[in-house]
Amino acid sequence: MLPQEIEQLFEAPPSEYTAEHRRTFEAFKAALNRGEVRAAEPDTGSKTGWRVNAWVKKGILLGFRMGKVVDMSVDRVRQPFFDKDTYPVKAFSLASQLRIVPGGSSIRDGSYVGRGVTCMPPMFINAGAFVDDGTMVDSHALIGSCAQVGRNCHISAGAQIGGVLEPVGAMPVIIEDEVMVGGNCGVYEGVVVKRRAVLGSGVILNGSTAVYDLVREQIYTVTDGSPLVIPEEAVVVPGSRAISQPAGQRWNLSLYAPVIVKYRDARTNERVQLENLFR
């Protein structure tokens, strides 16, 4: 079984990798490319609705350990490219049914990119990432290693969806279906953004961020080892909160604090659906 073979190779590295070891990794990477194995997957029995597949993350790390740096340059003078031979640029064809607009984008092998995905240049999707059907990845956007992005999302220009490859048991960033991630947003450290949420331009979310829900009068943080979770259909914008410490009050300082100002309504849906014209 592939999981057991990956676990054994990861936990007990051989002195030298053989052709059989390489075939095991290539079979694993092919499953990643097809979306059959994922670094994290839906799990209705968990608090977040997701579970981590640590063996998959071990397999991705195994590829880096096994690989050798080789010359992958198309033109060594104009665009030199040297990387591990286990993770070349992912191969696509017209049958893949996605748009990769010319202009310097890169999608690494060992990632899943679904049908109808639009890639606006320049953007980058790293190994182990999962980007589902109909999603748009806009200019200068990053989908980090192991990040999971759902169907019909919009990852706007300059947004960064951080992955989490190590430690292997840590949750990667999760962006569920129909989420709108505004320009220059950053989502890191295993944050889970639930279905149809909207992150306004410039929102930053990580493991240290507290999110203030004005509608439900709740504060969302990392608790008991569970990641920060943004509720379904929440509309999050950048905000600030005053520092109560005396020096902070004297200097009139504030700390960054993302705020849920409302939940999606007809007006929000109308604004978000404008992007469909570009697909």
Side-chain angles (χ1 to χ4, degrees):
M1 293 290 290
L2 190 58
Q4 288 75 22
E5 292 173 351
I6 292 294
E7 290 273 8
Q8 183 176 356
L9 272 175
F10 184 84
E11 299 297 341
S15 57
E16 183 177 346
Y17 291 105
T18 66
E20 182 62 30
H21 295 150
R22 184 65 179 243
R23 282 192 289 271
T24 296
F25 171 73
E26 291 297 334
F28 165 75
K29 188 171 65 172
L32 279 176
N33 281 323
R34 294 191 297 267
E36 294 173 0
V37 300
R38 300 170 62 172
E41 60 185 308
D43 180 2
T44 56
S46 74
K47 290 182 180 180
T48 63
W50 291 80
R51 73 168 183 269
V52 179
N53 290 323
W55 78 269
V56 175
K57 297 174 78 173
K58 289 178 181 179
I60 296 166
L61 288 167
L62 179 63
F64 287 105
R65 184 188 295 171
M66 183 183 297
K68 298 179 180 178
V69 176
V70 297
D71 186 348
M72 297 182 181
S73 306
V74 176
D75 185 324
R76 190 181 298 177
V77 175
R78 298 171 63 186
Q79 192 174 25
F81 178 19
F82 306 94
D83 201 0
K84 294 292 184 79
D85 61 350
T86 43
Y87 290 111
V89 173
K90 185 178 172 74
F92 293 100
S93 68
L94 280 176
S96 304
Q97 297 185 22
L98 73 158
R99 293 175 59 200
I100 305 177
V101 179
S105 295
S106 183
I107 302 173
R108 217 171 187 187
D109 206 19
S111 60
Y112 175 79
V113 182
R115 295 179 182 274
V117 170
T118 300
C119 303
M120 299 299 292
M123 47 67 67
F124 180 67
I125 298 175
N126 208 349
F130 184 101
V131 181
D132 214 341
D133 298 350
T135 284
M136 174 177 281
V137 184
D138 220 330
S139 302
H140 297 280
L142 163 71
I143 310 297
S145 182
C146 297
Q148 306 289 300
V149 180
R151 292 173 178 262
N152 300 321
C153 296
H154 189 149
I155 312 302
S156 297
Q160 294 193 3
I161 308 302
V164 178
L165 187 51
E166 296 183 276
V168 293
M171 180 76 74
V173 172
I174 307 293
I175 307 293
E176 292 192 351
D177 295 349
E178 299 182 54
V179 168
M180 172 71 177
V181 179
N184 295 310
C185 285
V187 187
Y188 311 105
E189 299 177 2
V191 171
V192 178
V193 182
K194 302 298 283 184
R195 181 177 175 272
R196 288 174 52 80
V198 176
L199 306 184
S201 298
V203 167
I204 306 295
L205 302 172
N206 59 39
S208 302
T209 306
V211 178
Y212 295 81
D213 190 337
L214 299 181
V215 180
R216 299 176 180 174
E217 298 187 3
Q218 296 184 38
I219 302 174
Y220 305 112
T221 61
V222 172
T223 55
D224 299 325
S226 295
L228 173 66
V229 178
I230 303 302
E232 287 192 12
E233 301 199 332
V235 178
V236 189
V237 300
S240 63
R241 60 186 179 90
I243 297 177
S244 58
Q245 195 267 353
Q249 290 182 325
R250 187 166 63 251
W251 295 331
N252 197 29
L253 297 179
S254 298
L255 293 174
Y256 169 73
V259 178
I260 297 175
V261 291
K262 68 175 185 176
Y263 284 75
R264 284 180 71 148
D265 54 21
R267 184 177 179 184
T268 307
N269 294 337
E270 182 180 356
R271 294 185 66 182
V272 171
Q273 286 172 0
L274 291 176
E275 70 187 61
N276 291 331
L277 295 172
F278 299 100
R279 294 180 186 272

